[in-house]
Amino acid sequence: MEVFLEWRWEHDRENFENEIREEEKRIQEEFHNNPQKPKKMMKDETFWSIIFLLDCHENDEEKIIEPAVNALEKMRVKDIKEFEEALSYKLYLLDTKEHAKNTGEYSYNEIIQEHFSADLFLYIRCSVIAEGKEYFDDCLNNPQNMPKDNSFEPLLSIASEAYTRRTGKEFEYITGCDYETFSSAAGWK
């Protein structure tokens, strides 16, 4: 296949590039016309009770998430997946241009985009959830209240760590909503 693609690049580049553009356009249209939907999520009360277990008095990030991982690993595998689904959906809801414009020094700026980091914005959204339900609800409804230059990447590893401890296997689960920055087409219009 690689040889064929290389041959196309060298001998039929214009048509090959057009085909690639058309396929990218088709994928984008499909993405924008089919909003992402979460699969079965953990009940909100249970989800937030696990988030509440984060030990913010610790300095070590592993120790901060340990109580949450410990509680989740004692649940069923189904529950671990539903926790990940709920987390992904909440991160997805915060994935908007307005939220990204209100995150501090590296906020999204439509004119000067070179300082914006998609990864940092994801980790800032994680910090919103780590602060609990009330803060999440406030930031969701009031993007200007997003934390400034505060991030918490370890939140993303709670379900995978719990799953590995519970099963001895690597966590391979694809959520219904992608939490990566720019995944919410409606949020970035």
Side-chain angles (χ1 to χ4, degrees), residues 60-115:
D60 183 322
E61 292 177 340
E62 298 281 326
K63 290 181 180 176
I64 293 171
I65 67 169
E66 180 58 31
V69 172
N70 189 37
L72 192 57
E73 79 173 286
K74 293 175 183 168
M75 297 180 173
R76 301 171 298 179
V77 167
K78 174 182 170 264
D79 297 321
I80 296 170
K81 291 177 179 178
E82 288 178 3
F83 174 88
E84 182 72 3
E85 197 67 46
L87 174 62
S88 295
Y89 184 61
K90 287 168 180 30
L91 291 169
Y92 175 80
L93 291 175
L94 291 169
D95 181 31
T96 75
K97 188 186 300 184
E98 286 308 307
H99 286 90
K101 287 179 178 180
N102 291 283
T103 58
E105 183 179 354
Y106 299 105
S107 291
Y108 180 78
N109 182 321
E110 292 173 281
I111 299 167
I112 307 169
Q113 295 181 10
E114 63 198 43
H115 297 294

Side-chain angles (χ1 to χ4, degrees), residues 35-179:
Q36 298 181 42
K37 293 181 182 170
K39 300 174 189 173
K40 186 166 178 12
M41 295 185 287
M42 177 176 271
K43 290 182 180 177
D44 237 27
E45 183 179 296
T46 308
F47 175 83
W48 290 113
S49 71
I50 292 170
I51 296 299
F52 182 75
L53 295 172
L54 296 173
D55 188 353
C56 297
H57 300 301
E58 288 287 347
N59 290 330
D60 183 322
E61 292 177 340
E62 298 281 326
K63 290 181 180 176
I64 293 171
I65 67 169
E66 180 58 31
V69 172
N70 189 37
L72 192 57
E73 79 173 286
K74 293 175 183 168
M75 297 180 173
R76 301 171 298 179
V77 167
K78 174 182 170 264
D79 297 321
I80 296 170
K81 291 177 179 178
E82 288 178 3
F83 174 88
E84 182 72 3
E85 197 67 46
L87 174 62
S88 295
Y89 184 61
K90 287 168 180 30
L91 291 169
Y92 175 80
L93 291 175
L94 291 169
D95 181 31
T96 75
K97 188 186 300 184
E98 286 308 307
H99 286 90
K101 287 179 178 180
N102 291 283
T103 58
E105 183 179 354
Y106 299 105
S107 291
Y108 180 78
N109 182 321
E110 292 173 281
I111 299 167
I112 307 169
Q113 295 181 10
E114 63 198 43
H115 297 294
F116 180 72
S117 165
D119 288 339
L120 180 59
F121 179 51
L122 169 60
Y123 307 150
I124 289 171
R125 288 182 282 140
C126 288
S127 76
V128 170
I129 293 169
E131 290 293 327
K133 181 177 179 8
E134 287 180 20
Y135 190 65
F136 168 77
D137 289 340
D138 181 48
C139 288
L140 183 62
N141 296 314
N142 304 293
Q144 69 277 7
N145 293 343
M146 285 291 285
K148 309 303 181 240
D149 307 312
N150 186 25
S151 66
F152 191 66
E153 179 184 3
L155 189 73
L156 298 174
S157 63
I158 291 174
S160 61
E161 183 64 31
Y163 181 87
T164 300
R165 290 183 191 179
R166 176 102 171 111
T167 66
K169 299 176 184 172
E170 192 173 320
F171 189 53
E172 295 180 11
Y173 176 72
I174 298 173
T175 57
C177 293
D178 186 352
Y179 57 65

